[in-house]
Amino acid sequence: MNRLSQFCTLAATLMVLNSCDTMSDLVTSKLPESHSGRPTIVVSLRKQEAYISRAGYITASSRISSGREGYRTPTGHFQVIRKDEDHRSSIYGDYVDNSGRIVKANVDSRRDSKPPHAHFVGAPMPYFVEFSPGYGLHQGYLPGEPASHGCIRMPYWKARQFYDAAHIGTPVVVKP
């Protein structure tokens, strides 16, 4: 009976891990790439997916969340113009007081007035890969639909994988 309970525990654990997107993202982001060559990043807004392509072969993929209505992600052919591992938004974030307590959350610093004795702290955008001024790929929340202010959000491990693969000048193709 002890072996049966161990087997059931193992099976239940494997089922949970198998359905866990974070675990899947971690594992697939660590797999060695099967093809070499210069990378190209391809984003499909319709499919809400991004790919790394090398020598015509897809070597990595990720689910994404792109720009929502009114904040569409630009389409076309671009190149990586900047990378910043610890980037913060210069527009979207929170107003906080001197003790770090949020005074006003989820603000647009261009439109929302700053409360007295507060300062702006930009939203974190780890592993930022900028391909057009103000637009890039980075780690962020994925609700399963376009939801960003125009950037391309990715799961943590995938954003890190794409960040590591990209270099200044890496081609980025954003398809509708």
mmCIF file of all heavy atoms in Angstrom, residues 132-171:
data_model
loop_
_atom_site.group_PDB
_atom_site.id
_atom_site.type_symbol
_atom_site.label_atom_id
_atom_site.label_comp_id
_atom_site.label_asym_id
_atom_site.label_seq_id
_atom_site.Cartn_x
_atom_site.Cartn_y
_atom_site.Cartn_z
ATOM 1 N N SER A 132 11.493 49.701 -30.940
ATOM 2 C CA SER A 132 10.999 50.944 -31.500
ATOM 3 C C SER A 132 10.895 51.892 -30.312
ATOM 4 O O SER A 132 10.582 51.430 -29.207
ATOM 5 C CB SER A 132 9.633 50.717 -32.160
ATOM 6 O OG SER A 132 9.133 51.898 -32.740
ATOM 7 N N PRO A 133 11.147 53.186 -30.471
ATOM 8 C CA PRO A 133 11.127 54.071 -29.305
ATOM 9 C C PRO A 133 9.842 53.930 -28.478
ATOM 10 O O PRO A 133 8.741 54.135 -28.983
ATOM 11 C CB PRO A 133 11.254 55.470 -29.915
ATOM 12 C CG PRO A 133 12.018 55.233 -31.179
ATOM 13 C CD PRO A 133 11.510 53.911 -31.696
ATOM 14 N N GLY A 134 10.012 53.498 -27.215
ATOM 15 C CA GLY A 134 8.876 53.328 -26.317
ATOM 16 C C GLY A 134 8.195 51.979 -26.391
ATOM 17 O O GLY A 134 7.253 51.723 -25.640
ATOM 18 N N TYR A 135 8.650 51.085 -27.263
ATOM 19 C CA TYR A 135 8.033 49.763 -27.421
ATOM 20 C C TYR A 135 9.097 48.679 -27.316
ATOM 21 O O TYR A 135 10.173 48.795 -27.896
ATOM 22 C CB TYR A 135 7.335 49.628 -28.779
ATOM 23 C CG TYR A 135 6.181 50.563 -28.946
ATOM 24 C CD1 TYR A 135 6.358 51.799 -29.568
ATOM 25 C CD2 TYR A 135 4.912 50.238 -28.485
ATOM 26 C CE1 TYR A 135 5.299 52.681 -29.725
ATOM 27 C CE2 TYR A 135 3.850 51.115 -28.635
ATOM 28 C CZ TYR A 135 4.057 52.330 -29.255
ATOM 29 O OH TYR A 135 3.003 53.200 -29.401
ATOM 30 N N GLY A 136 8.749 47.628 -26.592
ATOM 31 C CA GLY A 136 9.694 46.532 -26.456
ATOM 32 C C GLY A 136 9.036 45.278 -25.926
ATOM 33 O O GLY A 136 7.839 45.260 -25.614
ATOM 34 N N LEU A 137 9.835 44.239 -25.829
ATOM 35 C CA LEU A 137 9.422 42.989 -25.202
ATOM 36 C C LEU A 137 9.939 43.035 -23.775
ATOM 37 O O LEU A 137 11.058 43.501 -23.536
ATOM 38 C CB LEU A 137 10.052 41.795 -25.915
ATOM 39 C CG LEU A 137 9.723 41.576 -27.381
ATOM 40 C CD1 LEU A 137 10.791 42.166 -28.266
ATOM 41 C CD2 LEU A 137 9.585 40.104 -27.655
ATOM 42 N N HIS A 138 9.169 42.541 -22.809
ATOM 43 C CA HIS A 138 9.621 42.486 -21.419
ATOM 44 C C HIS A 138 8.736 41.545 -20.624
ATOM 45 O O HIS A 138 7.653 41.160 -21.068
ATOM 46 C CB HIS A 138 9.635 43.881 -20.776
ATOM 47 C CG HIS A 138 8.300 44.541 -20.688
ATOM 48 N ND1 HIS A 138 7.389 44.287 -19.686
ATOM 49 C CD2 HIS A 138 7.712 45.463 -21.498
ATOM 50 C CE1 HIS A 138 6.312 45.023 -19.866
ATOM 51 N NE2 HIS A 138 6.478 45.747 -20.970
ATOM 52 N N GLN A 139 9.190 41.197 -19.445
ATOM 53 C CA GLN A 139 8.409 40.352 -18.556
ATOM 54 C C GLN A 139 7.196 41.132 -18.072
ATOM 55 O O GLN A 139 7.295 42.332 -17.803
ATOM 56 C CB GLN A 139 9.275 39.905 -17.375
ATOM 57 C CG GLN A 139 8.600 38.898 -16.455
ATOM 58 C CD GLN A 139 7.790 39.532 -15.345
ATOM 59 O OE1 GLN A 139 8.136 40.571 -14.815
ATOM 60 N NE2 GLN A 139 6.669 38.921 -15.019
ATOM 61 N N GLY A 140 6.058 40.465 -17.985
ATOM 62 C CA GLY A 140 4.856 41.128 -17.499
ATOM 63 C C GLY A 140 3.678 40.182 -17.414
ATOM 64 O O GLY A 140 3.757 39.015 -17.794
ATOM 65 N N TYR A 141 2.580 40.716 -16.938
ATOM 66 C CA TYR A 141 1.342 39.963 -16.730
ATOM 67 C C TYR A 141 0.716 39.562 -18.064
ATOM 68 O O TYR A 141 0.621 40.380 -18.974
ATOM 69 C CB TYR A 141 0.383 40.834 -15.915
ATOM 70 C CG TYR A 141 -0.997 40.261 -15.744
ATOM 71 C CD1 TYR A 141 -1.191 39.062 -15.060
ATOM 72 C CD2 TYR A 141 -2.105 40.912 -16.258
ATOM 73 C CE1 TYR A 141 -2.458 38.538 -14.908
ATOM 74 C CE2 TYR A 141 -3.379 40.399 -16.101
ATOM 75 C CZ TYR A 141 -3.552 39.213 -15.424
ATOM 76 O OH TYR A 141 -4.810 38.696 -15.275
ATOM 77 N N LEU A 142 0.267 38.309 -18.151
ATOM 78 C CA LEU A 142 -0.379 37.786 -19.352
ATOM 79 C C LEU A 142 -1.804 37.313 -19.032
ATOM 80 O O LEU A 142 -1.987 36.204 -18.554
ATOM 81 C CB LEU A 142 0.416 36.607 -19.922
ATOM 82 C CG LEU A 142 1.638 36.969 -20.735
ATOM 83 C CD1 LEU A 142 2.811 37.259 -19.845
ATOM 84 C CD2 LEU A 142 1.960 35.880 -21.693
ATOM 85 N N PRO A 143 -2.804 38.134 -19.320
ATOM 86 C CA PRO A 143 -4.180 37.723 -19.025
ATOM 87 C C PRO A 143 -4.811 36.852 -20.108
ATOM 88 O O PRO A 143 -5.964 36.468 -19.991
ATOM 89 C CB PRO A 143 -4.913 39.055 -18.915
ATOM 90 C CG PRO A 143 -4.173 39.946 -19.857
ATOM 91 C CD PRO A 143 -2.726 39.525 -19.746
ATOM 92 N N GLY A 144 -4.067 36.547 -21.178
ATOM 93 C CA GLY A 144 -4.620 35.717 -22.246
ATOM 94 C C GLY A 144 -5.205 36.509 -23.399
ATOM 95 O O GLY A 144 -5.858 35.940 -24.278
ATOM 96 N N GLU A 145 -4.974 37.817 -23.404
ATOM 97 C CA GLU A 145 -5.477 38.690 -24.464
ATOM 98 C C GLU A 145 -4.604 39.945 -24.517
ATOM 99 O O GLU A 145 -3.844 40.211 -23.580
ATOM 100 C CB GLU A 145 -6.927 39.076 -24.192
ATOM 101 C CG GLU A 145 -7.087 39.844 -22.892
ATOM 102 C CD GLU A 145 -8.546 40.054 -22.514
ATOM 103 O OE1 GLU A 145 -9.433 39.434 -23.112
ATOM 104 O OE2 GLU A 145 -8.789 40.865 -21.603
ATOM 105 N N PRO A 146 -4.707 40.732 -25.585
ATOM 106 C CA PRO A 146 -3.966 41.997 -25.619
ATOM 107 C C PRO A 146 -4.387 42.874 -24.440
ATOM 108 O O PRO A 146 -5.580 43.088 -24.216
ATOM 109 C CB PRO A 146 -4.378 42.616 -26.951
ATOM 110 C CG PRO A 146 -4.759 41.446 -27.806
ATOM 111 C CD PRO A 146 -5.410 40.478 -26.852
ATOM 112 N N ALA A 147 -3.407 43.364 -23.662
ATOM 113 C CA ALA A 147 -3.751 44.118 -22.452
ATOM 114 C C ALA A 147 -2.722 45.187 -22.089
ATOM 115 O O ALA A 147 -2.917 45.895 -21.111
ATOM 116 C CB ALA A 147 -3.914 43.157 -21.272
ATOM 117 N N SER A 148 -1.647 45.316 -22.865
ATOM 118 C CA SER A 148 -0.584 46.250 -22.484
ATOM 119 C C SER A 148 -0.833 47.637 -23.079
ATOM 120 O O SER A 148 -1.802 47.862 -23.796
ATOM 121 C CB SER A 148 0.770 45.715 -22.943
ATOM 122 O OG SER A 148 0.963 45.946 -24.328
ATOM 123 N N HIS A 149 0.091 48.549 -22.786
ATOM 124 C CA HIS A 149 0.056 49.890 -23.372
ATOM 125 C C HIS A 149 0.822 49.924 -24.691
ATOM 126 O O HIS A 149 1.222 50.993 -25.144
ATOM 127 C CB HIS A 149 0.646 50.912 -22.395
ATOM 128 C CG HIS A 149 -0.213 51.169 -21.210
ATOM 129 N ND1 HIS A 149 0.084 50.673 -19.960
ATOM 130 C CD2 HIS A 149 -1.364 51.866 -21.068
ATOM 131 C CE1 HIS A 149 -0.842 51.051 -19.102
ATOM 132 N NE2 HIS A 149 -1.737 51.777 -19.751
ATOM 133 N N GLY A 150 1.058 48.764 -25.301
ATOM 134 C CA GLY A 150 1.734 48.682 -26.595
ATOM 135 C C GLY A 150 2.943 47.787 -26.592
ATOM 136 O O GLY A 150 3.365 47.304 -27.631
ATOM 137 N N CYS A 151 3.534 47.559 -25.419
ATOM 138 C CA CYS A 151 4.676 46.649 -25.333
ATOM 139 C C CYS A 151 4.214 45.202 -25.460
ATOM 140 O O CYS A 151 3.016 44.916 -25.423
ATOM 141 C CB CYS A 151 5.413 46.834 -24.009
ATOM 142 S SG CYS A 151 6.507 48.261 -23.977
ATOM 143 N N ILE A 152 5.174 44.316 -25.582
ATOM 144 C CA ILE A 152 4.899 42.891 -25.698
ATOM 145 C C ILE A 152 5.328 42.232 -24.396
ATOM 146 O O ILE A 152 6.519 42.142 -24.108
ATOM 147 C CB ILE A 152 5.633 42.291 -26.911
ATOM 148 C CG1 ILE A 152 5.103 42.952 -28.186
ATOM 149 C CG2 ILE A 152 5.468 40.776 -26.941
ATOM 150 C CD1 ILE A 152 5.953 42.729 -29.402
ATOM 151 N N ARG A 153 4.350 41.819 -23.609
ATOM 152 C CA ARG A 153 4.627 41.162 -22.338
ATOM 153 C C ARG A 153 4.849 39.675 -22.542
ATOM 154 O O ARG A 153 4.197 39.061 -23.383
ATOM 155 C CB ARG A 153 3.455 41.343 -21.377
ATOM 156 C CG ARG A 153 3.143 42.764 -21.013
ATOM 157 C CD ARG A 153 1.955 42.748 -20.086
ATOM 158 N NE ARG A 153 1.399 44.054 -19.832
ATOM 159 C CZ ARG A 153 0.198 44.234 -19.315
ATOM 160 N NH1 ARG A 153 -0.571 43.195 -19.021
ATOM 161 N NH2 ARG A 153 -0.246 45.455 -19.093
ATOM 162 N N MET A 154 5.758 39.128 -21.727
ATOM 163 C CA MET A 154 6.090 37.705 -21.796
ATOM 164 C C MET A 154 6.250 37.155 -20.376
ATOM 165 O O MET A 154 6.514 37.920 -19.454
ATOM 166 C CB MET A 154 7.417 37.503 -22.538
ATOM 167 C CG MET A 154 7.501 38.197 -23.877
ATOM 168 S SD MET A 154 9.146 38.054 -24.596
ATOM 169 C CE MET A 154 8.886 36.556 -25.519
ATOM 170 N N PRO A 155 6.144 35.821 -20.215
ATOM 171 C CA PRO A 155 6.437 35.233 -18.900
ATOM 172 C C PRO A 155 7.904 35.475 -18.541
ATOM 173 O O PRO A 155 8.755 35.642 -19.422
ATOM 174 C CB PRO A 155 6.185 33.740 -19.103
ATOM 175 C CG PRO A 155 5.395 33.631 -20.358
ATOM 176 C CD PRO A 155 5.741 34.822 -21.194
ATOM 177 N N TYR A 156 8.205 35.463 -17.259
ATOM 178 C CA TYR A 156 9.554 35.765 -16.772
ATOM 179 C C TYR A 156 10.644 34.982 -17.497
ATOM 180 O O TYR A 156 11.590 35.571 -18.019
ATOM 181 C CB TYR A 156 9.625 35.482 -15.260
ATOM 182 C CG TYR A 156 11.029 35.625 -14.711
ATOM 183 C CD1 TYR A 156 11.505 36.869 -14.324
ATOM 184 C CD2 TYR A 156 11.876 34.526 -14.607
ATOM 185 C CE1 TYR A 156 12.796 37.019 -13.837
ATOM 186 C CE2 TYR A 156 13.166 34.658 -14.119
ATOM 187 C CZ TYR A 156 13.618 35.901 -13.741
ATOM 188 O OH TYR A 156 14.901 36.040 -13.275
ATOM 189 N N TRP A 157 10.541 33.650 -17.499
ATOM 190 C CA TRP A 157 11.619 32.836 -18.074
ATOM 191 C C TRP A 157 11.775 33.057 -19.575
ATOM 192 O O TRP A 157 12.878 33.003 -20.112
ATOM 193 C CB TRP A 157 11.402 31.353 -17.770
ATOM 194 C CG TRP A 157 11.592 31.068 -16.319
ATOM 195 C CD1 TRP A 157 10.612 30.791 -15.399
ATOM 196 C CD2 TRP A 157 12.822 31.077 -15.588
ATOM 197 N NE1 TRP A 157 11.162 30.624 -14.154
ATOM 198 C CE2 TRP A 157 12.522 30.791 -14.245
ATOM 199 C CE3 TRP A 157 14.156 31.293 -15.947
ATOM 200 C CZ2 TRP A 157 13.502 30.715 -13.262
ATOM 201 C CZ3 TRP A 157 15.126 31.216 -14.963
ATOM 202 C CH2 TRP A 157 14.798 30.933 -13.637
ATOM 203 N N LYS A 158 10.671 33.307 -20.257
ATOM 204 C CA LYS A 158 10.742 33.555 -21.700
ATOM 205 C C LYS A 158 11.320 34.934 -21.988
ATOM 206 O O LYS A 158 12.117 35.097 -22.919
ATOM 207 C CB LYS A 158 9.360 33.383 -22.336
ATOM 208 C CG LYS A 158 8.884 31.954 -22.331
ATOM 209 C CD LYS A 158 9.849 31.071 -23.096
ATOM 210 C CE LYS A 158 9.358 29.654 -23.205
ATOM 211 N NZ LYS A 158 10.135 28.886 -24.186
ATOM 212 N N ALA A 159 10.927 35.941 -21.207
ATOM 213 C CA ALA A 159 11.488 37.276 -21.393
ATOM 214 C C ALA A 159 13.002 37.233 -21.210
ATOM 215 O O ALA A 159 13.751 37.850 -21.971
ATOM 216 C CB ALA A 159 10.862 38.257 -20.399
ATOM 217 N N ARG A 160 13.435 36.484 -20.229
ATOM 218 C CA ARG A 160 14.874 36.327 -19.982
ATOM 219 C C ARG A 160 15.557 35.613 -21.145
ATOM 220 O O ARG A 160 16.648 35.997 -21.567
ATOM 221 C CB ARG A 160 15.050 35.557 -18.678
ATOM 222 C CG ARG A 160 16.437 35.531 -18.169
ATOM 223 C CD ARG A 160 16.458 34.952 -16.776
ATOM 224 N NE ARG A 160 17.823 34.647 -16.427
ATOM 225 C CZ ARG A 160 18.188 34.156 -15.275
ATOM 226 N NH1 ARG A 160 17.302 33.903 -14.340
ATOM 227 N NH2 ARG A 160 19.455 33.899 -15.034
ATOM 228 N N GLN A 161 14.931 34.591 -21.688
ATOM 229 C CA GLN A 161 15.484 33.848 -22.825
ATOM 230 C C GLN A 161 15.604 34.754 -24.056
ATOM 231 O O GLN A 161 16.636 34.765 -24.729
ATOM 232 C CB GLN A 161 14.604 32.634 -23.140
ATOM 233 C CG GLN A 161 15.103 31.797 -24.301
ATOM 234 C CD GLN A 161 14.179 30.633 -24.619
ATOM 235 O OE1 GLN A 161 12.987 30.664 -24.324
ATOM 236 N NE2 GLN A 161 14.733 29.602 -25.234
ATOM 237 N N PHE A 162 14.565 35.519 -24.356
ATOM 238 C CA PHE A 162 14.592 36.421 -25.509
ATOM 239 C C PHE A 162 15.622 37.530 -25.293
ATOM 240 O O PHE A 162 16.337 37.912 -26.213
ATOM 241 C CB PHE A 162 13.201 37.000 -25.780
ATOM 242 C CG PHE A 162 12.290 36.090 -26.566
ATOM 243 C CD1 PHE A 162 11.912 34.841 -26.086
ATOM 244 C CD2 PHE A 162 11.791 36.483 -27.795
ATOM 245 C CE1 PHE A 162 11.079 34.007 -26.810
ATOM 246 C CE2 PHE A 162 10.946 35.664 -28.533
ATOM 247 C CZ PHE A 162 10.592 34.416 -28.035
ATOM 248 N N TYR A 163 15.713 38.041 -24.070
ATOM 249 C CA TYR A 163 16.685 39.071 -23.720
ATOM 250 C C TYR A 163 18.108 38.554 -23.975
ATOM 251 O O TYR A 163 18.936 39.246 -24.568
ATOM 252 C CB TYR A 163 16.510 39.465 -22.251
ATOM 253 C CG TYR A 163 17.463 40.526 -21.782
ATOM 254 C CD1 TYR A 163 17.134 41.872 -21.879
ATOM 255 C CD2 TYR A 163 18.689 40.194 -21.216
ATOM 256 C CE1 TYR A 163 18.002 42.864 -21.444
ATOM 257 C CE2 TYR A 163 19.571 41.167 -20.777
ATOM 258 C CZ TYR A 163 19.223 42.509 -20.892
ATOM 259 O OH TYR A 163 20.091 43.479 -20.466
ATOM 260 N N ASP A 164 18.377 37.336 -23.529
ATOM 261 C CA ASP A 164 19.712 36.753 -23.703
ATOM 262 C C ASP A 164 20.039 36.497 -25.173
ATOM 263 O O ASP A 164 21.192 36.613 -25.581
ATOM 264 C CB ASP A 164 19.842 35.453 -22.904
ATOM 265 C CG ASP A 164 19.900 35.684 -21.400
ATOM 266 O OD1 ASP A 164 20.149 36.835 -20.974
ATOM 267 O OD2 ASP A 164 19.668 34.712 -20.645
ATOM 268 N N ALA A 165 19.042 36.162 -25.977
ATOM 269 C CA ALA A 165 19.271 35.855 -27.390
ATOM 270 C C ALA A 165 19.450 37.113 -28.236
ATOM 271 O O ALA A 165 20.153 37.088 -29.246
ATOM 272 C CB ALA A 165 18.112 35.028 -27.942
ATOM 273 N N ALA A 166 18.815 38.202 -27.832
ATOM 274 C CA ALA A 166 18.821 39.429 -28.642
ATOM 275 C C ALA A 166 20.084 40.254 -28.392
ATOM 276 O O ALA A 166 20.654 40.234 -27.302
ATOM 277 C CB ALA A 166 17.596 40.271 -28.311
ATOM 278 N N HIS A 167 20.486 40.965 -29.428
ATOM 279 C CA HIS A 167 21.601 41.901 -29.363
ATOM 280 C C HIS A 167 21.162 43.182 -30.062
ATOM 281 O O HIS A 167 20.183 43.170 -30.821
ATOM 282 C CB HIS A 167 22.836 41.318 -30.055
ATOM 283 C CG HIS A 167 23.270 40.016 -29.462
ATOM 284 N ND1 HIS A 167 23.946 39.926 -28.276
ATOM 285 C CD2 HIS A 167 23.084 38.738 -29.887
ATOM 286 C CE1 HIS A 167 24.170 38.649 -27.995
ATOM 287 N NE2 HIS A 167 23.663 37.917 -28.939
ATOM 288 N N ILE A 168 21.849 44.268 -29.825
ATOM 289 C CA ILE A 168 21.537 45.501 -30.555
ATOM 290 C C ILE A 168 21.647 45.180 -32.046
ATOM 291 O O ILE A 168 22.628 44.607 -32.506
ATOM 292 C CB ILE A 168 22.507 46.650 -30.170
ATOM 293 C CG1 ILE A 168 22.491 46.889 -28.649
ATOM 294 C CG2 ILE A 168 22.203 47.905 -30.960
ATOM 295 C CD1 ILE A 168 21.157 47.278 -28.080
ATOM 296 N N GLY A 169 20.611 45.529 -32.797
ATOM 297 C CA GLY A 169 20.576 45.242 -34.218
ATOM 298 C C GLY A 169 19.836 43.985 -34.610
ATOM 299 O O GLY A 169 19.560 43.759 -35.782
ATOM 300 N N THR A 170 19.469 43.143 -33.626
ATOM 301 C CA THR A 170 18.713 41.925 -33.940
ATOM 302 C C THR A 170 17.403 42.318 -34.616
ATOM 303 O O THR A 170 16.673 43.176 -34.105
ATOM 304 C CB THR A 170 18.410 41.117 -32.651
ATOM 305 O OG1 THR A 170 19.642 40.653 -32.103
ATOM 306 C CG2 THR A 170 17.481 39.929 -32.932
ATOM 307 N N PRO A 171 17.084 41.699 -35.761
ATOM 308 C CA PRO A 171 15.812 42.018 -36.431
ATOM 309 C C PRO A 171 14.609 41.592 -35.584
ATOM 310 O O PRO A 171 14.633 40.542 -34.940
ATOM 311 C CB PRO A 171 15.863 41.199 -37.721
ATOM 312 C CG PRO A 171 17.299 40.854 -37.916
ATOM 313 C CD PRO A 171 17.898 40.774 -36.553
#
